[in-house]
Amino acid sequence: MAPMKAIVKSVLSGDTLILRGRPGPQGQPPKERILHVAEVTSPRMGSSTREDEPWAFECREFLRALAVGKEVTFTPTHPLPSNDDVPRDFGQAEINGLDLATELLKNGWAKPSEKSKREPNEEDLKRKDLENEARNGMKGMWNPQGPKPYTINHTMPLDSQAFMTEWKNQTIDAVVEQVRDGTTLRVRLFLPENVHQMANVALAGVRSAKAASRQGEVAEPWGEEAKFFTESRLLQRAVRVQLLSLPAPTAQPFAASAEGAPPASASMFIGTVLHPAGNIAEHLVSTCLARVVGWHTGLLANSGGMERLRAAEKQAKEKRLYLYANVTESTNGKGNSSSVTVANGNTRTFDATVIRIWSGDQVSVLEKDSGKERRLQLSSTRCPRSSPADPKQSYWASEAREFLRKKLIGKPVRVHVDFVRPREGEYEERECATVRFGNQNVNVAELVIEKGYASVVRHRRDDEDRSSDYDKLMAAEQIAITDTRGIHSNKEQTLPRIGNASETYAKANQFLSGFKRLGRVPAVVQAVTAGSRFKVLLPKENQTLTLVLAGIRAPRAGRGERERVEVKPEPYGQESTEFASRRYMQRDVEIEFESTDKSGGFIGAMYLNKTENAAITLVKEGLAAVHTYSAESLSWANLLLEAEKEAKAAKKNLWSDYDEATEEADQIPQNGAVEALKPEYMDVIVSDVRTSPTFGFSVQILNTEGIASLEKLMHDFSLHHRTANAIPGFIPRSGDLVSARFSDGSWYRAKIRKSSPGKKEAEVTFIDYGNQDTIGFKDIRPLDPKFRSLPGQAHDARLSFIKLVTADSEYHAEAIERFRSLCEGRKLIANTDFREGSLLHLRLMDPSDPTATEDPLACINADLIREGYASLDRQNCKYLTSYPQMLQKLQDAVAGAKRDRLGMFEFGDVEEDDD
């Protein structure tokens, strides 16, 4: 038979070859045949069920190194029965003019076949001479020391995890024993102490189509071509293997460790296989026979392997062959990232400022050029969501949001929209973007994932709508998983308990004095409900509260229906709320507390960047107006008025139609009238009456937690001062809270009004009763901190609408005495008609007076006028006209006193003209 040519695909043993022909025009696998080298025999290789014969591995290795991948000229001498349609023959073979049988015999790796049925001929004798020559030279199998002992493990390691831990990222010499498909190999690893470990390795970062694994099975398109590509280059070649990982399911951040870890015995390793000619994975991709697997990015990040694979993928897409023949560029994603706009018509790349953090993977930004607000999803990023059923996930959701808030809120960023996720069901259309910040252009998503606050979305193989830095995100996730950071840790985490200090009026008052002592308190704005109303968190105190900016009133924005009553928006209410939201939402601020309102809200000042007073900023922008009466007591009242004056001059927002002349004209007939307050009845007791420098009194508001707490405090206060010692040289200062001994010999809490070190005495106000006195330094001590938390229970007050006769009147002493008899030390009902800073304007009613049950306007204020001891105070009570019924009642009382010549009207009409 005429000689034929073929390529040696592999070597089964020291005397048997698998040959193949040339590939087809599109890389189709050629046909194969088995050739047994005639007239020689070598030991047989073993399997999982039987051991290698002595010298079998060494004989095969000699022939493998000599023949694999090379062209062979062979002549079949006689055929053998075929095996699975693969022809089998005995025959002669040459490589580069060298006869294989001769080379095997000469080097001692084969023996001549035994010829028992005929006499040896010349060729037989020549082969016998070659054998004797090798024997005499102690070559190959004739080495008297025998074969080197080795251990071969045909199955994967029983403890694959331990094996991976020992050999991860190390370079191991190996031989490829089998190619299952283009990217899955079975290799013989050469380990120390002559251990041969068989292992299955999937090439990291790539995946080819599946090839047929048994006869009759249909391969996936281009699966056989990929297998042949790898076989023709790697099968039975010496390679270097790096094991990188065990196959594991998609990252399950909140799964228990037993569930998330790979099994002890795995069927596959993930790694790289390196040949002197290069990395087969990169060649497979560039030849269009494998696709890049993004979720292996983390394994290849340090070596730069993924960047090389992406470069190969780019070449493959340009060729448009085999697996990439039908590749189309995404209309939304990276393939079209050079376009100026995205599918929804918005700008693709722009500068912006972050104005809100929705979660660890969603932010809202304000586009710099257009001023448009855009809500963005970080591309290919998924952070945990708050869930009552999963405290750990809720904890990390909160941590992720807080991490982004500290990093980004109010900061400039550079945005590149990768793709637009269309609306689907209940989910709105969402722009998915890569957001960068800082001088180093740090990718926000990469940072969040590396810190362990989020995971990477696993996209479908053909889904090109993904982050433009997808590989870097995968590498960041691998770092987080390796270091067990954040959501990848097994630590149990729960959210801290956050209280609500504004839950009730009483609860707010309990916190007020403590907050005021702290001065400026660090806080975070959690929500903006109106231009001057915020929900804030005090992180150190673990409390949330409602904050109302003192001294201003912002217009309301409509909020639909509340309690079945439609809340209508006021002009510029929406603009005021939006401005406050964009400027203060989620910002770190400082709060100074002044007081509380009846709904439990705290009234005070809010500072951004330590210097910017939010109230002044809103007024300056014309988005809030100064509330004159509440602003008068504030230290920054003049700044508020100046800001409002500036906004009016610029005709900003609320003042767009402002006319100074018209306002002055309107104020003349109004005479400063203010809006009446809603009735607010409360039980009080008049604890102190003062006549100097002017008439006034103090009340305690009963039936409150404060009064109940005061009784216990005074008991503890008394016990404390039985053992407390005086502090030598103590000099109190104005404004200090102290303990002071009253004339009855008991100690009470007091506040220094004026200190006179020369006289060694101080004027004090007893804050729980309101009375004032001058006390010597010997009877004053610093107030122990444990008695400071309860606010003073005495409230300064005056009578609404009226004023007692002046001190120069002969009826003054009689009027004071009459007031004392009606009020001092008695339990009364009071209604607040006006608040002048901390001074309450009260209407007092005697619950034991039968007239009060019949006439709702009956009050001690009217009685004092009717008896001639008081008159209308038109000058200091500008709210008089806001209570027309009460004003009429008082005017009738004045007329009655004049008619009956009572009190100061005994000798005629002596009422002062306040008009």
Side-chain angles (χ1 to χ4, degrees):
M1 183 180 292
M4 293 184 287
K5 293 184 181 296
I7 301 295
V8 179
K9 173 185 172 182
S10 62
V11 174
L12 296 180
S13 63
D15 58 4
T16 305
L17 311 170
I18 296 180
L19 309 180
R20 64 167 175 83
R22 298 289 180 180
Q26 289 189 320
Q28 296 94 331
K31 293 183 178 181
E32 299 178 356
R33 69 193 303 155
I34 297 175
L35 180 69
H36 300 276
V37 180
E39 308 300 339
V40 296
T41 181
S42 287
R44 293 290 177 261
M45 295 287 290
S47 66
S48 59
T49 57
R50 59 182 175 84
E51 294 184 356
D52 293 351
E53 294 179 359
W55 296 105
F57 177 70
E58 291 84 348
C59 292
R60 193 208 71 162
E61 282 297 281
F62 175 80
L63 187 56
R64 180 192 66 79
L66 177 65
V68 170
K70 297 177 182 178
E71 186 177 68
V72 62
T73 302
F74 68 98
T75 305
T77 55
H78 59 272
L80 294 172
S82 63
N83 184 10
D84 293 333
D85 295 331
V86 177
R88 300 169 60 225
D89 301 283
F90 276 107
Q92 298 173 348
E94 291 183 358
I95 295 178
N96 296 327
L98 297 175
D99 180 70
L100 293 187
T102 300
E103 291 299 312
L104 288 167
L105 291 168
K106 185 170 62 175
N107 289 280
W109 298 117
K111 299 177 182 178
S113 299
E114 295 184 3
K115 303 295 182 180
S116 59
K117 295 183 180 181
R118 64 176 175 84
E119 289 294 325
N121 58 26
E122 185 178 350
E123 292 297 324
D124 294 334
L125 295 174
K126 185 183 296 185
R127 284 190 286 272
K128 194 66 176 175
D129 289 340
L130 291 172
E131 180 188 28
N132 291 331
E133 180 183 338
R135 190 192 296 267
N136 294 331
M138 295 184 292
K139 295 181 180 180
M141 295 185 291
W142 311 116
N143 188 331
Q145 295 181 0
K148 290 182 180 179
Y150 61 89
T151 302
I152 180 168
N153 301 317
H154 287 280
T155 59
M156 288 281 288
L158 292 178
D159 191 343
S160 301
Q161 184 62 64
F163 188 86
M164 173 57 66
T165 302
E166 181 180 0
W167 293 102
K168 185 175 182 179
N169 293 326
Q170 296 188 46
T171 300
I172 308 172
D173 290 329
V175 168
V176 177
E177 296 288 358
Q178 182 186 359
V179 176
R180 295 183 174 178
D181 59 45
T183 54
T184 307
L185 314 176
R186 183 167 176 79
V187 299
R188 181 189 295 256
L189 302 175
F190 298 120
L191 303 180
E193 299 180 0
N194 287 330
V195 174
H196 296 189
Q197 176 65 58
M198 305 299 286
N200 302 321
V201 178
L203 298 182
V206 294
R207 178 175 292 175
S208 66
K210 289 185 178 179
S213 59
R214 63 181 66 90
Q215 190 172 6
E217 187 177 59
V218 179
E220 294 180 352
W222 308 110
E224 294 296 337
E225 288 78 2
K227 177 181 178 181
F228 174 72
F229 184 91
T230 302
E231 270 187 346
S232 62
R233 289 159 175 80
L234 290 190
L235 183 60
Q236 288 201 336
R237 291 346 189 259
V239 295
R240 288 175 295 123
V241 174
Q242 276 189 326
L243 301 182
L244 303 178
S245 174
L246 290 172
T250 300
Q252 301 289 336
F254 301 103
S257 58
E259 298 174 3
S265 180
S267 62
M268 186 85 64
F269 292 121
I270 298 172
T272 58
V273 176
L274 302 176
H275 185 271
N279 187 333
I280 189 66
E282 296 169 20
H283 292 294
L284 277 166
V285 174
S286 63
T287 315
C288 307
L289 290 172
R291 296 183 184 276
V292 176
V293 177
W295 52 85
H296 287 169
T297 300
L299 305 177
L300 301 171
N302 294 334
S303 64
M306 188 52 70
E307 287 81 355
R308 292 190 292 272
L309 287 177
R310 290 298 182 192
E313 181 182 50
K314 183 178 180 182
Q315 295 176 18
K317 289 180 178 180
E318 292 171 353
K319 294 176 182 177
R320 292 181 179 273
L321 296 174
Y322 312 144
L323 292 177
Y324 294 85
N326 298 318
V327 170
T328 57
E329 299 292 352
S330 167
T331 57
N332 277 337
K334 297 184 294 179
N336 198 30
S337 60
S338 59
S339 62
V340 177
T341 59
V342 288
N344 58 9
N346 286 336
T347 307
R348 181 179 290 277
T349 303
F350 57 93
D351 293 319
T353 300
V354 178
I355 58 173
R356 185 163 187 175
I357 308 297
W358 297 96
S359 63
D361 56 12
Q362 286 189 26
V363 301
S364 283
V365 301
L366 196 66
E367 193 172 343
K368 182 178 180 181
D369 293 336
S370 67
K372 182 179 181 180
E373 182 176 336
R374 295 169 69 171
R375 184 166 174 171
L376 305 173
Q377 167 77 40
L378 299 181
S379 296
S380 304
T381 306
R382 181 181 291 121
C383 80
R385 297 288 184 260
S386 294
S387 170
D390 193 337
K392 182 178 179 182
Q393 186 167 185
S394 298
Y395 172 83
W396 289 115
S398 174
E399 289 293 298
R401 184 173 59 250
E402 179 63 9
F403 176 77
L404 270 197
R405 186 194 69 79
K406 290 180 177 179
K407 287 287 183 183
L408 293 185
I409 199 70
K411 303 289 178 63
V413 293
R414 182 72 172 171
V415 178
H416 177 80
V417 179
D418 296 309
F419 60 96
V420 178
R421 189 173 65 200
R423 179 171 182 168
E424 184 177 351
E426 62 181 3
Y427 297 102
E428 297 292 329
E429 178 185 271
R430 187 62 46 81
E431 293 182 320
C432 299
T434 297
V435 180
R436 302 180 186 278
F437 75 102
N439 296 331
Q440 304 299 319
N441 281 327
V442 176
N443 184 341
V444 173
E446 185 179 352
L447 183 62
V448 172
I449 291 169
E450 186 175 329
K451 293 293 184 181
Y453 294 124
S455 57
V456 182
V457 176
R458 267 57 175 179
H459 296 281
R460 297 189 310 272
R461 184 178 64 186
D462 57 346
D463 184 4
E464 292 295 325
D465 288 344
R466 60 181 65 190
S467 169
S468 50
D469 278 353
Y470 189 77
D471 293 338
K472 292 182 179 180
L473 300 189
M474 291 297 300
E477 184 179 65
Q478 186 63 39
I479 293 173
I481 292 172
T482 302
D483 295 344
T484 61
R485 298 176 183 173
I487 60 177
H488 307 289
S489 69
N490 294 319
K491 295 180 181 178
E492 290 299 322
Q493 301 283 4
T494 56
L495 285 169
R497 298 178 64 88
I498 304 295
N500 181 7
S502 291
E503 189 173 5
T504 64
Y505 170 75
K507 189 173 183 179
N509 272 336
Q510 288 178 356
F511 281 98
L512 180 62
S513 59
F515 289 163
K516 291 178 75 172
R517 282 199 308 273
L518 295 173
R520 289 194 181 186
V521 182
V524 177
V525 178
Q526 289 190 322
V528 179
T529 55
S532 59
R533 196 173 186 89
F534 307 86
K535 180 182 177 182
V536 300
L537 168 70
L538 309 186
K540 291 183 179 179
E541 287 73 24
N542 279 342
Q543 294 289 332
T544 61
L545 54 86
T546 299
L547 175 71
V548 182
L549 297 183
I552 67 170
R553 184 187 182 281
R556 292 180 301 182
R559 277 176 274 169
E561 293 188 359
R562 183 196 293 174
E563 297 177 357
R564 298 184 179 179
V565 178
E566 185 178 355
V567 180
K568 294 184 178 180
E570 297 176 342
Y572 294 98
Q574 186 67 29
E575 291 85 346
S576 177
T577 303
E578 286 182 1
F579 176 86
S581 181
R582 291 181 177 180
R583 194 167 188 87
Y584 303 114
M585 182 67 177
Q586 295 182 322
R587 301 296 186 92
D588 290 311
V589 295
E590 292 179 327
I591 308 295
E592 266 187 347
F593 294 90
E594 296 290 331
S595 59
T596 59
D597 62 21
K598 60 183 179 182
S599 65
F602 289 79
I603 301 172
M606 183 171 77
Y607 295 90
L608 178 67
N609 299 328
K610 297 188 178 295
T611 57
E612 180 185 324
N613 186 318
I616 295 173
T617 299
L618 283 162
V619 171
K620 190 176 292 186
E621 292 294 326
L623 294 171
V626 178
H627 191 267
T628 308
Y629 294 99
S630 62
E632 286 178 351
S633 61
L634 302 176
S635 60
W636 63 89
N638 290 335
L639 296 175
L640 283 175
L641 295 173
E642 285 295 323
E644 185 175 68
K645 183 178 179 181
E646 183 181 325
K648 287 178 177 178
K651 295 185 180 295
K652 286 186 175 181
N653 297 315
L654 286 173
W655 314 111
S656 57
D657 298 325
Y658 173 72
D659 188 332
E660 185 175 2
T662 303
E663 182 184 54
E664 290 177 354
D666 290 341
Q667 288 178 348
I668 295 173
Q670 291 175 0
N671 197 27
V674 295
E675 184 179 354
L677 300 180
K678 289 179 63 176
E680 184 182 345
Y681 298 104
M682 51 193 176
D683 294 331
V684 301
I685 186 169
V686 176
S687 56
D688 181 61
V689 178
R690 297 180 294 277
T691 59
S692 177
T694 58
F695 169 73
F697 58 95
S698 296
V699 298
Q700 290 179 336
I701 302 175
L702 306 178
N703 301 326
T704 64
E705 294 182 9
I707 291 298
S709 300
L710 179 62
E711 295 178 3
K712 183 178 185 307
L713 182 143
M714 291 309 300
H715 176 265
D716 296 340
F717 203 63
S718 175
L719 294 176
H720 172 76
H721 281 284
R722 290 179 185 177
T723 57
N725 298 319
I727 298 178
F730 173 62
I731 300 177
R733 297 182 180 180
S734 297
D736 284 355
L737 287 176
V738 297
S739 298
R741 187 174 3 222
F742 190 52
S743 56
D744 64 358
S746 297
W747 293 85
Y748 299 92
R749 300 192 302 167
K751 186 174 184 178
I752 303 297
R753 295 174 58 235
K754 182 180 178 181
S755 179
S756 302
K759 298 181 180 180
K760 294 188 177 181
E761 62 182 21
E763 297 176 14
V764 303
T765 298
F766 292 93
I767 62 174
D768 294 313
Y769 299 93
N771 44 333
Q772 299 175 351
D773 202 352
T774 300
I775 308 291
F777 284 178
K778 64 183 178 61
D779 290 324
I780 299 176
R781 298 175 184 173
L783 184 62
D784 192 279
K786 65 184 177 183
F787 298 117
R788 290 173 174 263
S789 59
L790 182 69
Q793 296 301 300
H795 302 267
D796 290 341
R798 59 156 290 173
L799 292 167
S800 301
F801 313 119
I802 70 171
K803 59 181 178 180
L804 294 186
V805 294
T806 56
D808 57 0
S809 170
E810 61 181 296
Y811 295 96
H812 177 68
E814 192 175 332
I816 296 295
E817 186 58 31
R818 179 57 175 159
F819 178 82
R820 289 182 184 275
S821 66
L822 289 173
C823 302
E824 189 170 29
R826 297 190 60 199
K827 182 179 178 180
L828 304 173
I829 296 173
N831 180 67
T832 303
D833 295 302
F834 185 73
R835 288 185 175 88
E836 187 179 342
S838 61
L839 180 67
L840 303 178
H841 290 230
L842 299 181
R843 192 189 321 173
L844 300 176
M845 290 150 276
D846 185 354
S848 63
D849 184 359
T851 308
T853 61
E854 300 173 3
D855 182 2
L857 298 177
C859 58
I860 292 174
N861 308 50
D863 292 345
L864 289 169
I865 284 188
R866 182 65 180 83
E867 294 174 10
Y869 293 124
S871 60
L872 291 174
D873 190 358
R874 298 181 183 275
Q875 183 175 358
N876 297 310
C877 299
K878 296 181 179 179
Y879 51 87
L880 258 172
T881 55
S882 300
Y883 298 85
Q885 291 180 315
M886 194 66 224
L887 178 59
Q888 185 61 51
K889 170 91 175 169
L890 296 173
Q891 288 174 336
D892 292 344
V894 171
K898 289 179 180 179
R899 184 182 65 247
D900 296 340
R901 294 186 178 274
L902 299 177
M904 65 179 175
F905 300 109
E906 180 180 1
F907 300 107
D909 185 359
V910 294
E911 187 178 18
E912 296 180 8
D913 184 8
D914 289 335
D915 298 336

